[in-house]
Amino acid sequence: MYCPKCGRQIPDDANICPYCGVRVEHRTFERGSARWLVVYGVLWLLTVIAYSVPWAKVDGKVFVGWNFTMPFSITYVIGMLLGLIVIIVKYRPVLMTIVAGVLMMLGLVGAAIGFGAAQIAGGLTGVKVSWEAGPGWAFILTMLYMVAGAYAARKIPKSRRNP
């Protein structure tokens, strides 16, 4: 298990952290940290789902975030991978969550630029281009992930002590 104060790994049967001296309550800490990890995982999963719903229609063809915003999808994917690292490795969870959220937001900005370019090209060629609900959901869920995810990440024990 991990110390709730310093984040170092301590023996499972320890009542006091040998590194910082804080008293450790076994059941409360373990249940609480697992609960926050689940909350974090759900927030992360919602950002994945938001990128998978319709983002735009171009001449009747539906595009989701993955195939509409290239190359900006790469920043969103990197952000999601950082979030996955937090879930699996639990390394620097707050910092990684904020960086992941910023990268995801850059992907959304890229989507807005791509949509603007598609609107211009569609206007010039007579192709109908329409914005769907996906980017709005992705924006809302990414903001929720950055704020609530960073809060939840504070409650997740770290795998290493932050310097």
Side-chain angles (χ1 to χ4, degrees):
M1 84 175 152
Y2 296 90
C3 172
K5 182 177 179 189
C6 70
R8 288 188 175 178
Q9 189 168 5
I10 59 176
D12 288 338
D13 60 347
N15 293 321
I16 295 174
C17 175
Y19 302 104
C20 69
V22 74
R23 183 173 300 277
V24 178
E25 293 187 30
H26 300 278
R27 290 184 181 151
T28 306
F29 179 69
E30 290 300 321
R31 284 184 192 156
S33 63
R35 189 175 309 133
W36 285 108
L37 187 58
V38 169
V39 167
Y40 187 91
V42 168
L43 290 168
W44 177 82
L45 184 61
L46 288 173
T47 63
V48 174
I49 292 168
Y51 221 69
S52 304
V53 298
W55 279 46
K57 277 187 188 173
V58 178
D59 211 19
K61 183 177 179 185
V62 176
F63 291 88
V64 297
W66 304 110
N67 62 357
F68 180 69
T69 62
M70 286 307 263
F72 300 103
S73 291
I74 294 168
T75 63
Y76 203 90
V77 169
I78 292 170
M80 286 190 301
L81 289 175
L82 290 177
L84 192 58
I85 288 169
V86 169
I87 293 169
I88 296 170
V89 181
K90 300 172 200 80
Y91 179 71
R92 295 185 181 254
V94 175
L95 176 65
M96 296 284 269
T97 300
I98 293 169
V99 170
V102 168
L103 287 169
M104 290 176 186
M105 291 306 276
L106 286 174
L108 294 171
V109 168
I113 292 168
F115 183 73
Q119 282 281 42
I120 292 169
L124 294 173
T125 60
V127 173
K128 182 175 167 58
V129 178
S130 64
W131 195 250
E132 299 295 316
W137 281 111
F139 175 80
I140 291 167
L141 292 171
T142 298
M143 292 301 292
L144 179 66
Y145 170 75
M146 277 178 39
V147 176
Y151 179 79
R154 286 183 54 149
K155 306 289 186 178
I156 299 170
K158 300 165 205 65
S159 64
R160 294 185 186 174
R161 184 170 184 245
N162 288 339

